[in-house]
Amino acid sequence: SLRGSWRLGNGNGSVVLRGEVPGCVHTALHRQGVIQDPYYRFNDVMYRWISLDNWTYSRTFKTPFDVRKWQKVNLVFEGVDTVAQILINNITLGRTDNMFNRYSFDITSAIKEVNFVEVRFISAISYAAEQSRCHKAYSIPPACPPPVQKGECHANFIRKEQCSFSWDWGPSFPTQGIWKDVRIEAYNHYHLIYFSLTSFFVKSAQQWSLEIESVFDVVSSEPIAGLVTVNIPKLQTQQTFSVKLQPGEGSIVLLVNINKSSTVEAWWPNGHGKQTGYNMTTTFIMEAGHQIEKFSKAYFRTVELVQEPIPGSPGLSFYFNINGRPIFIKGSNWIPADSFQDRVTYDTLWLLLKSAADANMNALRVWGGGVYEQDEFYDICDELGIMIWQDFMFACALYPTDQNYLESVRAEISHQVRRLKSHPSIILWSGNNENEAAIANNWFSIPYADREVYIKDYVMLYVKNIREIVLA
C-alpha cells in the first residue's frame, strides 16, 4: 500500500506541506494549520483559491520485492479526485478524469528498486469550464448554480461529486486528492480483480442458487486450467468446478445450487426479520500452482418491483416484494456525510446508519449528486437491514454524450456495479436524480424546437449505455 504521508505542493511551489493519502488538499491544509475550519462562516468563499490552483502529490518508495521475479506489476488507484496526470520515475503512465473509476496502470517496465511517483492534478473548475467551452455544437444546461449558492459552474462536464461545486444544502469545495486507497500489486500467471455473488430463488426447483462472477487478469500467453471449490458449511453445500482462464482480462461465472435439505434463512429488511448471512469460502487451485482463497458472506433475498393496475385509478401500483412479501418502504435521502470524504470514518457511518435503523427506517436512497459510497457503508446496511435505492451519480442537470465522456461513464458503471452488486441491501439501481423531470417539465427553458437533441442525449446516456451495462 502507498497509503500514508505524501508531499503536497501547489502550482508555483509557494505552498508545500505533508498530505495524507487517502486524503485531499483541503484536509491537508487544515491539518497543517494553513487554513481554518473550511465550514466556518464564509470560509467556503475565502478558500476558493485552493480549488482554482493545480496541486501535485508526490512521494518516493522502495519496492519491497524483487521486481525481476514478477511478470506483471500494476499501480492501482481505487479513487482519484479527479483530473490528473500519473507519473512514475518521470514516465507518464496515463491520465484520470473520473472520480468514480478505479485506475490500474501497468508499471512492469517502469518500476525500479527506488521509485518516485507523482500525481499532478489540474483544477476541476478550470477543467469543467474548458470541457464546456469545447462542446460547441449546443449548450448543456445548467451552466452555473444559482448565485445564492456561491458555487462553481459546469459540474455536469466533469465526472466528480456533483455537489462539490455547491448545492442548495451545502458549500462549494471542489477539492483535489487521492481519495481512496493506492497500492502496488505484482503477480505471475493470474490475478483476481473482481469477485461478486448474486442469489436468486428458482421457483420451478424450489431451490436457492448463487451466481458467482470472478474477473481475472491472466498474464500467461496460454490458457490456465484449474479447479474452483465453493464451500458454505452452514448450508451443507460444497461444489467443485473445472475452469479454464483465457489470456487477458475475462470473467468466469459459476452457478452454485444450495443443498435442498438445508434451511436457508433469508435476508430481511429492518423490522421484518433477521439479516442472516452465511460464511462462504471460494478456493481457486490453478495448474500454475498458485492458489487464491476468497472469504465472503452469502446472503439470500429476492426483490421485485410490483407495478399493476389499481382499480379506479389511472396509475399503477409501485411497491416492492422482498422474499415474496410486500414491504412498506420508509426512509430517507443519503447525501455525502462530509464535504471531504477522507473524514468519513467507519464510526461516522455506523453512527448515522444505526441512527436511521433505530428511527425505524428500512431504506435509504444514495443520492445521485454525491458519491457511490465506500464498501463499509454497504456492509453496515447489509448488517442493519437497510435497503438501498442506488442512484448513479447524475443530478439536476443534462449531460454531454460525446465519445470520451461516454467511455469514461461506461468504465465507471462497470466498475461500480461489479464492486457493489453482491450487497443484499442494494435493491435497486436508478439512473439519476431529477434529470428526466428536468426535461419533462422544462426546468432549463429549452425552446421546444431544440428539445429533441436533449431527449436523444438522455436516452443515449441512461438507456443505451448505463441500463445495458447494469443488465449485462
Side-chain angles (χ1 to χ4, degrees):
S1 176
L2 295 179
R3 281 173 169 262
S5 192
W6 288 50
R7 179 181 182 274
L8 176 57
N10 70 336
N12 65 8
S14 60
V15 184
V16 176
L17 65 154
R18 209 178 82 222
E20 286 298 308
V21 169
C24 72
V25 174
H26 285 75
T27 49
L29 291 168
H30 187 212
R31 276 200 193 111
Q32 299 292 322
V34 180
I35 60 170
Q36 303 300 304
D37 179 359
Y39 285 170
Y40 181 69
R41 294 199 59 147
F42 304 111
N43 282 350
D44 56 329
V45 182
M46 293 278 293
Y47 297 152
R48 266 197 80 197
W49 62 271
I50 300 169
S51 303
L52 290 166
D53 211 334
N54 302 326
W55 297 80
T56 295
Y57 278 80
S58 60
R59 68 166 283 180
T60 50
F61 69 92
K62 275 199 172 92
T63 309
F65 52 81
D66 183 350
V67 206
R68 293 161 304 190
K69 288 195 173 142
W70 299 92
Q71 276 173 282
K72 192 159 182 190
V73 186
N74 294 330
L75 171 60
V76 182
F77 290 86
E78 289 292 337
V80 179
D81 181 10
T82 292
V83 187
Q85 179 186 2
I86 314 284
L87 302 93
I88 191 163
N89 304 326
N90 297 319
I91 299 163
T92 299
L93 299 172
R95 293 172 192 276
T96 68
D97 63 1
N98 189 325
M99 175 181 181
F100 309 122
N101 207 349
R102 170 199 277 175
Y103 290 92
S104 179
F105 301 102
D106 185 342
I107 56 168
T108 316
S109 53
I111 193 168
K112 307 187 218 168
E113 270 181 54
V114 177
N115 303 277
F116 179 56
V117 59
E118 269 180 298
V119 182
R120 294 181 190 163
F121 285 94
I122 64 167
S123 161
I125 299 167
S126 321
Y127 173 86
E130 178 60 25
Q131 293 302 111
S132 168
R133 262 198 304 279
C134 292
H135 198 280
K136 293 194 170 72
Y138 52 97
S139 68
I140 299 183
C144 301
V148 66
Q149 290 176 207
K150 299 182 168 56
E152 303 295 350
C153 301
H154 310 299
N156 50 345
F157 275 91
I158 182 169
R159 292 310 297 143
K160 178 174 171 62
E161 178 184 46
Q162 298 287 276
C163 64
S164 71
F165 276 53
S166 86
W167 215 262
D168 53 14
W169 52 259
S172 171
F173 288 117
T175 191
Q176 298 161 37
I178 302 168
W179 73 291
K180 289 191 167 192
D181 201 22
V182 50
R183 63 179 183 273
I184 304 285
E185 54 186 29
Y187 47 95
N188 294 323
H189 313 307
Y190 71 109
H191 170 62
L192 181 61
I193 309 173
Y194 294 100
F195 179 86
S196 58
L197 38 133
T198 318
S199 65
F200 53 96
F201 189 70
V202 185
K203 281 195 176 140
S204 55
Q206 287 293 299
Q207 183 178 29
W208 283 99
S209 291
L210 273 183
E211 185 181 274
I212 300 172
E213 188 190 17
S214 311
V215 179
F216 287 96
D217 179 29
V218 176
V219 279
S220 71
S221 51
E222 298 294 308
I224 299 178
L227 297 175
V228 185
T229 302
V230 179
N231 188 18
I232 311 173
K234 269 210 148 151
L235 295 175
Q236 287 96 47
T237 298
Q238 182 169 330
Q239 257 173 281
T240 300
F241 305 83
S242 50
V243 295
K244 194 172 249 181
L245 306 178
Q246 299 303 325
E249 193 175 307
S251 68
I252 53 170
V253 177
L254 307 173
L255 198 61
V256 175
N257 293 318
I258 303 302
N259 188 337
K260 271 181 146 172
S261 56
S262 297
T263 308
V264 175
E265 283 189 24
W267 180 93
W268 287 98
N270 181 31
H272 292 270
K274 290 200 289 203
Q275 291 76 43
T276 309
Y278 295 90
N279 291 332
M280 173 174 123
T281 310
T282 308
T283 315
F284 301 85
I285 303 175
M286 311 309 282
E287 64 189 11
H290 177 58
Q291 94 168 38
I292 295 178
E293 212 166 24
K294 199 73 191 154
F295 300 101
S296 46
K297 255 202 158 69
Y299 292 93
F300 297 87
R301 68 107 182 84
T302 61
V303 52
E304 58 182 322
L305 168 60
V306 184
Q307 291 186 275
E308 323 173 304
I310 298 167
S313 161
L316 302 174
S317 68
F318 191 103
Y319 67 89
F320 291 90
N321 277 342
I322 306 288
N323 305 323
R325 185 192 297 171
I327 302 285
F328 183 78
I329 286 195
K330 39 190 183 165
S332 195
N333 191 51
W334 175 274
I335 62 170
D338 200 299
S339 287
F340 311 107
Q341 281 294 319
D342 53 291
R343 302 205 297 203
V344 184
T345 61
Y346 181 88
D347 292 346
T348 311
L349 292 173
W350 174 259
L351 177 72
L352 289 165
L353 293 169
K354 184 76 171 78
S355 304
D358 288 348
N360 294 311
M361 293 189 199
N362 62 14
L364 289 172
R365 179 270 201 122
V366 175
W367 170 73
V371 298
Y372 303 94
E373 276 297 335
Q374 45 185 295
D375 295 341
E376 288 82 3
F377 172 92
Y378 300 96
D379 290 339
I380 297 168
C381 290
D382 293 345
E383 199 182 319
L384 295 175
I386 295 174
M387 295 178 282
I388 296 298
W389 173 302
Q390 178 66 53
D391 278 8
F392 287 103
M393 295 301 126
F394 301 88
C396 299
L398 306 183
Y399 289 88
T401 59
D402 53 273
Q403 237 11 72
N404 288 349
Y405 188 87
L406 282 179
E407 267 170 40
S408 184
V409 167
R410 283 198 289 264
E412 160 194 330
I413 304 299
S414 309
H415 167 58
Q416 294 295 347
V417 175
R418 280 174 160 156
R419 175 174 80 95
L420 297 173
K421 64 183 239 200
S422 305
H423 292 282
S425 51
I426 299 178
I427 60 163
L428 177 86
W429 296 91
S430 174
N432 59 60
N433 170 62
E434 298 178 25
N435 300 344
E436 193 174 333
I439 295 178
N441 303 327
N442 201 11
W443 291 1
F444 305 124
S445 311
I446 294 163
Y448 193 78
D450 301 342
R451 275 187 49 156
E452 210 40 57
V453 67
Y454 296 102
I455 292 172
K456 196 167 152 260
D457 278 355
Y458 184 96
V459 172
M460 171 60 80
L461 180 59
Y462 303 112
V463 183
K464 293 206 166 101
N465 279 284
I466 296 175
R467 183 171 184 269
E468 284 194 4
I469 293 168
V470 177
L471 291 174

